[in-house]
Amino acid sequence: MTTTETASTTSPWQGHDLGTRTVSYTERDAILYALAVGAGADRLDLVYEERLRVLPTFALTLAQWAPDALGTLGAFDVTTAVHGSQRLLVKRPLERAGELVTSARVAHVWDKGSAAVFEVEVDCDRFTATWSIFAPGAGGFGGERGPSAPRRPDRPAEHRLTVPTHSRQAALYRLLGDRHAMHIDPEAAKAAGMPRPFLHGLCTLAAALLPLADALGTHPADLVELEARFAAPVFPGDLLALRGWTGDDTGVRFEASADEDRTVLSGGRARFAPDRDQAEPNREETPDA
């Protein structure tokens, strides 16, 4: 090591095995999820069991146990830690109902000085999902800072869309597993530094994908890759402005804002595969009458 090099320290949590968990779900769960993230009753392919295609982001509700488990172990203060970003890689479509064996580990812990970012990776045969948890007070251990935030494309957006949210959305979404009190209880929200209960970041992200897929002429269930950062909270009832940039073979770039100038999703990227091989469909085909 030269005099200009500094050795970095690895967090004792990095590589920590969070174990394995079998999770199960029904058609009802998948339909409730679609409704919670904003699918209309006329989207029979998302809300009607006879035509159901399960939204890939529903997988994130099935894997929520892993970041919750890390918080329970005391890796960070659960009252101040926030969900910083999310990644999802879809390997195979989800069935309409089923059971999955998921395993989880702490893939990385990045040192941001006064805070740390814990990357919790959950893997199974259908998907790999990675949570980035921003934890104030957990940094300063001398580790690497990690990757920087992706930049917005330096050109006008090809797509400008609106994403409505409704007043009951957080209350509905929490029934899918993320029951943190700050999303429903005004006092808990104030303790977390928020003026009132706010929408789950994963709900905001999934809600944005519905109009984005429509604008691209694809189906939201054909999502194969997703990543985004949660830049600011969304409050139930906010109307979001969504901008999308195409022309990149890695997928569509996007960001969303509320109140015109408050960015709530940044560094977004989604890739859809409209011609995806449906050899393993997530619904049974019904013959024409």
Side-chain angles (χ1 to χ4, degrees):
M1 182 187 303
T2 68
T3 56
T4 59
E5 293 177 323
T6 303
S8 61
T9 303
T10 301
S11 165
W13 290 102
Q14 183 155 320
H16 185 82
D17 186 357
L18 293 169
T20 298
R21 184 172 297 190
T22 300
V23 294
S24 60
Y25 63 96
T26 66
E27 292 177 350
R28 179 181 180 277
D29 298 323
I31 291 170
L32 175 61
Y33 175 81
L35 292 169
V37 301
D42 59 339
R43 288 299 305 262
L44 299 186
D45 52 342
L46 299 177
V47 302
Y48 179 39
E49 58 275 11
E50 294 300 325
R51 305 182 188 180
L52 185 62
R53 295 190 67 186
V54 179
L55 289 169
T57 47
F58 172 63
L60 301 175
T61 70
L62 303 175
Q64 181 65 46
W65 66 268
D68 289 348
L70 181 60
T72 300
L73 291 173
F76 46 77
D77 184 347
V78 297
T79 65
T80 59
V82 295
H83 192 174
S85 67
Q86 184 69 47
R87 297 196 302 273
L88 175 66
L89 172 65
V90 180
K91 301 176 184 178
R92 298 162 58 198
L94 292 170
E95 301 284 350
R96 292 191 305 187
E99 187 176 88
L100 300 172
V101 178
T102 60
S103 59
R105 67 187 183 101
V106 181
H108 296 285
V109 183
W110 305 115
D111 189 350
K112 301 297 185 180
S114 61
V117 172
F118 293 79
E119 290 198 352
V120 181
E121 182 183 275
V122 184
D123 187 60
C124 69
D125 67 343
R126 299 280 170 167
F127 63 85
T128 300
T130 305
W131 275 254
S132 289
I133 308 298
F134 183 83
F141 55 85
E144 296 181 5
R145 287 191 59 84
S148 58
R151 293 184 177 183
R152 174 197 303 175
D154 187 20
R155 65 179 192 277
E158 288 83 7
H159 300 283
R160 292 183 175 272
L161 311 165
T162 57
V163 183
T165 67
H166 59 78
S167 61
R168 300 181 302 277
Q169 200 156 6
L172 183 60
Y173 187 87
R174 68 185 299 271
L175 298 179
L176 293 150
D178 185 346
R179 299 200 177 189
H180 289 97
M182 63 186 71
H183 298 297
I184 191 72
D185 182 352
E187 293 304 317
K190 289 177 181 178
M194 298 296 172
R196 59 188 184 277
F198 55 99
L199 196 57
H200 305 69
L202 290 180
C203 184
T204 301
L205 181 56
L209 290 177
L210 296 179
L212 185 60
D214 288 342
L216 296 172
T218 188
H219 195 284
D222 285 322
L223 180 75
V224 292
E225 283 187 85
L226 174 66
E227 60 180 309
R229 294 184 178 231
F230 305 113
V234 172
F235 298 99
D238 281 350
L239 182 65
L240 308 183
L242 178 67
R243 292 170 295 281
W245 291 264
T246 54
D248 187 335
D249 59 7
T250 64
V252 59
R253 305 279 176 171
F254 66 92
E255 67 177 26
S257 60
D259 303 328
E260 296 185 358
D261 59 355
R262 175 165 54 93
T263 300
V264 296
L265 293 175
S266 65
R269 182 179 67 87
R271 186 168 66 85
F272 297 88
D275 296 323
R276 173 174 224 161
D277 183 6
Q278 295 295 321
E280 291 184 280
N282 58 14
R283 68 187 190 283
E284 295 177 2
E285 297 294 341
T286 56
D288 293 337

